Amino acid sequence: CSVQRRHQKIVEVAPAPLLTEETRKQICADAVALAKASNYENAGTCEFLVDEEGKHYFIEMNARLQVEHTVTEEITGIDIVQTQLRVAQGYSLPDLGLKQESIGMKGAAIQCRMTTEDPNLNFAPDTGRLELYQIGEGMGIRIDQSGYQGLVISPYYESLLAKITARGRNHKDACTKLHRALSESRVRGVKTKIEFVKAVLELPEFKILLLILVLLKRIPNYLK
């Protein structure tokens, strides 16, 4: 997790920037050991905290995919959703050509969540009809969405319209692509936090991956 507000994720990045390769390998090994010890099958998400000394601590395991699984898919090249369905069908990881030691990472990815919230009203949910709905596309941009022009946004369900994921050679490249896609997006009829996320991407701390939650305190007046 990178940038959050009230414990809700706003922007996700991969790979985790402050992990050493040794710590990364140990975390992965511990996650695999946990799954084996509990006879767990199929996709799941192990969560760890890493302290300032680089020591990691297990928090919990979610027996499901996380919303931000897209960044993992983009840097590993593995379709996790398809893989979990194949495993549920009875295929083994060797059947699917997957081995833990052969899973690597390439490049960097960033995901943001486009929700119908108004940053100028303390992120209060907004409702209405999507009179215009267009998400910026292009090379290295992935869009997972439920929004469409004419959709009526009610106050009774999740306010997420789309997850926009950018993939690049490095974090800076992915950051530039995501900012461009957001700049080319047009949503009318409801408020969104597109401009807020762009402000996050423009922060010097975010550009050099000093991912600290308090940096959001610098953005309250970003529209003024």
Side-chain angles (χ1 to χ4, degrees), residues 10-25:
I10 297 176
V11 178
E12 303 290 329
V13 304
L18 303 180
L19 290 183
T20 64
E21 188 60 28
E22 180 181 356
T23 300
R24 193 188 311 278
K25 289 181 179 179

PDB file of all heavy atoms in Angstrom, residues 10-25:
ATOM      1  N   ILE A  10      -5.704   4.835  -2.153  1.00  0.00           N
ATOM      2  CA  ILE A  10      -5.923   5.766  -3.257  1.00  0.00           C
ATOM      3  C   ILE A  10      -5.021   5.409  -4.431  1.00  0.00           C
ATOM      4  O   ILE A  10      -5.459   5.329  -5.571  1.00  0.00           O
ATOM      5  CB  ILE A  10      -5.658   7.219  -2.816  1.00  0.00           C
ATOM      6  CG1 ILE A  10      -6.659   7.621  -1.727  1.00  0.00           C
ATOM      7  CG2 ILE A  10      -5.751   8.170  -4.006  1.00  0.00           C
ATOM      8  CD1 ILE A  10      -6.407   9.006  -1.168  1.00  0.00           C
ATOM      9  N   VAL A  11      -3.750   5.201  -4.147  1.00  0.00           N
ATOM     10  CA  VAL A  11      -2.774   4.853  -5.177  1.00  0.00           C
ATOM     11  C   VAL A  11      -1.949   3.661  -4.684  1.00  0.00           C
ATOM     12  O   VAL A  11      -1.523   3.622  -3.537  1.00  0.00           O
ATOM     13  CB  VAL A  11      -1.836   6.046  -5.485  1.00  0.00           C
ATOM     14  CG1 VAL A  11      -0.808   5.652  -6.523  1.00  0.00           C
ATOM     15  CG2 VAL A  11      -2.638   7.246  -5.967  1.00  0.00           C
ATOM     16  N   GLU A  12      -1.746   2.699  -5.581  1.00  0.00           N
ATOM     17  CA  GLU A  12      -0.943   1.508  -5.273  1.00  0.00           C
ATOM     18  C   GLU A  12       0.227   1.421  -6.241  1.00  0.00           C
ATOM     19  O   GLU A  12       0.085   1.779  -7.417  1.00  0.00           O
ATOM     20  CB  GLU A  12      -1.782   0.239  -5.420  1.00  0.00           C
ATOM     21  CG  GLU A  12      -3.027   0.206  -4.567  1.00  0.00           C
ATOM     22  CD  GLU A  12      -2.712   0.065  -3.109  1.00  0.00           C
ATOM     23  OE1 GLU A  12      -1.693  -0.566  -2.776  1.00  0.00           O
ATOM     24  OE2 GLU A  12      -3.475   0.576  -2.279  1.00  0.00           O
ATOM     25  N   VAL A  13       1.354   0.953  -5.751  1.00  0.00           N
ATOM     26  CA  VAL A  13       2.516   0.797  -6.632  1.00  0.00           C
ATOM     27  C   VAL A  13       3.100  -0.598  -6.498  1.00  0.00           C
ATOM     28  O   VAL A  13       2.921  -1.277  -5.484  1.00  0.00           O
ATOM     29  CB  VAL A  13       3.616   1.836  -6.318  1.00  0.00           C
ATOM     30  CG1 VAL A  13       3.081   3.241  -6.405  1.00  0.00           C
ATOM     31  CG2 VAL A  13       4.225   1.583  -4.942  1.00  0.00           C
ATOM     32  N   ALA A  14       3.792  -1.028  -7.514  1.00  0.00           N
ATOM     33  CA  ALA A  14       4.545  -2.281  -7.490  1.00  0.00           C
ATOM     34  C   ALA A  14       5.744  -2.115  -8.427  1.00  0.00           C
ATOM     35  O   ALA A  14       5.627  -1.452  -9.462  1.00  0.00           O
ATOM     36  CB  ALA A  14       3.678  -3.464  -7.954  1.00  0.00           C
ATOM     37  N   PRO A  15       6.885  -2.667  -8.047  1.00  0.00           N
ATOM     38  CA  PRO A  15       7.145  -3.384  -6.796  1.00  0.00           C
ATOM     39  C   PRO A  15       7.277  -2.427  -5.617  1.00  0.00           C
ATOM     40  O   PRO A  15       7.429  -1.216  -5.804  1.00  0.00           O
ATOM     41  CB  PRO A  15       8.476  -4.093  -7.082  1.00  0.00           C
ATOM     42  CG  PRO A  15       9.161  -3.201  -8.071  1.00  0.00           C
ATOM     43  CD  PRO A  15       8.070  -2.642  -8.937  1.00  0.00           C
ATOM     44  N   ALA A  16       7.200  -2.990  -4.395  1.00  0.00           N
ATOM     45  CA  ALA A  16       7.355  -2.172  -3.195  1.00  0.00           C
ATOM     46  C   ALA A  16       8.746  -1.542  -3.220  1.00  0.00           C
ATOM     47  O   ALA A  16       9.751  -2.249  -3.346  1.00  0.00           O
ATOM     48  CB  ALA A  16       7.182  -3.038  -1.945  1.00  0.00           C
ATOM     49  N   PRO A  17       8.838  -0.221  -3.126  1.00  0.00           N
ATOM     50  CA  PRO A  17      10.105   0.474  -3.388  1.00  0.00           C
ATOM     51  C   PRO A  17      11.166   0.375  -2.304  1.00  0.00           C
ATOM     52  O   PRO A  17      12.344   0.460  -2.598  1.00  0.00           O
ATOM     53  CB  PRO A  17       9.657   1.933  -3.554  1.00  0.00           C
ATOM     54  CG  PRO A  17       8.424   2.028  -2.727  1.00  0.00           C
ATOM     55  CD  PRO A  17       7.733   0.712  -2.870  1.00  0.00           C
ATOM     56  N   LEU A  18      10.765   0.192  -1.055  1.00  0.00           N
ATOM     57  CA  LEU A  18      11.735   0.261   0.038  1.00  0.00           C
ATOM     58  C   LEU A  18      12.225  -1.103   0.510  1.00  0.00           C
ATOM     59  O   LEU A  18      12.967  -1.188   1.485  1.00  0.00           O
ATOM     60  CB  LEU A  18      11.123   1.030   1.220  1.00  0.00           C
ATOM     61  CG  LEU A  18      10.649   2.451   0.892  1.00  0.00           C
ATOM     62  CD1 LEU A  18      10.069   3.119   2.135  1.00  0.00           C
ATOM     63  CD2 LEU A  18      11.794   3.285   0.323  1.00  0.00           C
ATOM     64  N   LEU A  19      11.819  -2.158  -0.175  1.00  0.00           N
ATOM     65  CA  LEU A  19      12.246  -3.501   0.214  1.00  0.00           C
ATOM     66  C   LEU A  19      13.573  -3.862  -0.438  1.00  0.00           C
ATOM     67  O   LEU A  19      13.767  -3.628  -1.633  1.00  0.00           O
ATOM     68  CB  LEU A  19      11.213  -4.548  -0.207  1.00  0.00           C
ATOM     69  CG  LEU A  19       9.871  -4.568   0.519  1.00  0.00           C
ATOM     70  CD1 LEU A  19       9.032  -5.726   0.012  1.00  0.00           C
ATOM     71  CD2 LEU A  19      10.058  -4.667   2.018  1.00  0.00           C
ATOM     72  N   THR A  20      14.469  -4.443   0.355  1.00  0.00           N
ATOM     73  CA  THR A  20      15.680  -5.000  -0.231  1.00  0.00           C
ATOM     74  C   THR A  20      15.309  -6.316  -0.908  1.00  0.00           C
ATOM     75  O   THR A  20      14.267  -6.917  -0.610  1.00  0.00           O
ATOM     76  CB  THR A  20      16.743  -5.261   0.839  1.00  0.00           C
ATOM     77  OG1 THR A  20      16.256  -6.270   1.745  1.00  0.00           O
ATOM     78  CG2 THR A  20      17.064  -3.988   1.614  1.00  0.00           C
ATOM     79  N   GLU A  21      16.141  -6.773  -1.806  1.00  0.00           N
ATOM     80  CA  GLU A  21      15.865  -8.036  -2.490  1.00  0.00           C
ATOM     81  C   GLU A  21      15.824  -9.190  -1.494  1.00  0.00           C
ATOM     82  O   GLU A  21      15.014 -10.115  -1.623  1.00  0.00           O
ATOM     83  CB  GLU A  21      16.922  -8.290  -3.564  1.00  0.00           C
ATOM     84  CG  GLU A  21      16.616  -9.474  -4.458  1.00  0.00           C
ATOM     85  CD  GLU A  21      15.305  -9.326  -5.218  1.00  0.00           C
ATOM     86  OE1 GLU A  21      14.899  -8.180  -5.482  1.00  0.00           O
ATOM     87  OE2 GLU A  21      14.692 -10.362  -5.533  1.00  0.00           O
ATOM     88  N   GLU A  22      16.675  -9.128  -0.486  1.00  0.00           N
ATOM     89  CA  GLU A  22      16.698 -10.181   0.537  1.00  0.00           C
ATOM     90  C   GLU A  22      15.381 -10.222   1.314  1.00  0.00           C
ATOM     91  O   GLU A  22      14.815 -11.295   1.538  1.00  0.00           O
ATOM     92  CB  GLU A  22      17.856  -9.945   1.500  1.00  0.00           C
ATOM     93  CG  GLU A  22      17.969 -10.996   2.599  1.00  0.00           C
ATOM     94  CD  GLU A  22      19.123 -10.711   3.552  1.00  0.00           C
ATOM     95  OE1 GLU A  22      19.875  -9.741   3.316  1.00  0.00           O
ATOM     96  OE2 GLU A  22      19.267 -11.466   4.535  1.00  0.00           O
ATOM     97  N   THR A  23      14.900  -9.046   1.712  1.00  0.00           N
ATOM     98  CA  THR A  23      13.643  -8.989   2.453  1.00  0.00           C
ATOM     99  C   THR A  23      12.481  -9.448   1.585  1.00  0.00           C
ATOM    100  O   THR A  23      11.586 -10.167   2.035  1.00  0.00           O
ATOM    101  CB  THR A  23      13.367  -7.558   2.958  1.00  0.00           C
ATOM    102  OG1 THR A  23      14.433  -7.148   3.812  1.00  0.00           O
ATOM    103  CG2 THR A  23      12.058  -7.493   3.729  1.00  0.00           C
ATOM    104  N   ARG A  24      12.499  -9.053   0.326  1.00  0.00           N
ATOM    105  CA  ARG A  24      11.433  -9.457  -0.598  1.00  0.00           C
ATOM    106  C   ARG A  24      11.368 -10.980  -0.732  1.00  0.00           C
ATOM    107  O   ARG A  24      10.291 -11.584  -0.679  1.00  0.00           O
ATOM    108  CB  ARG A  24      11.657  -8.812  -1.965  1.00  0.00           C
ATOM    109  CG  ARG A  24      10.463  -8.905  -2.913  1.00  0.00           C
ATOM    110  CD  ARG A  24      10.841  -8.417  -4.309  1.00  0.00           C
ATOM    111  NE  ARG A  24      11.527  -7.140  -4.281  1.00  0.00           N
ATOM    112  CZ  ARG A  24      10.910  -5.970  -4.189  1.00  0.00           C
ATOM    113  NH1 ARG A  24       9.596  -5.934  -4.113  1.00  0.00           N
ATOM    114  NH2 ARG A  24      11.600  -4.853  -4.174  1.00  0.00           N
ATOM    115  N   LYS A  25      12.521 -11.600  -0.891  1.00  0.00           N
ATOM    116  CA  LYS A  25      12.562 -13.057  -1.030  1.00  0.00           C
ATOM    117  C   LYS A  25      12.085 -13.744   0.245  1.00  0.00           C
ATOM    118  O   LYS A  25      11.381 -14.762   0.193  1.00  0.00           O
ATOM    119  CB  LYS A  25      13.984 -13.502  -1.386  1.00  0.00           C
ATOM    120  CG  LYS A  25      14.411 -13.150  -2.798  1.00  0.00           C
ATOM    121  CD  LYS A  25      15.824 -13.646  -3.081  1.00  0.00           C
ATOM    122  CE  LYS A  25      16.241 -13.322  -4.515  1.00  0.00           C
ATOM    123  NZ  LYS A  25      17.628 -13.789  -4.801  1.00  0.00           N
TER     124      LYS A  25
END
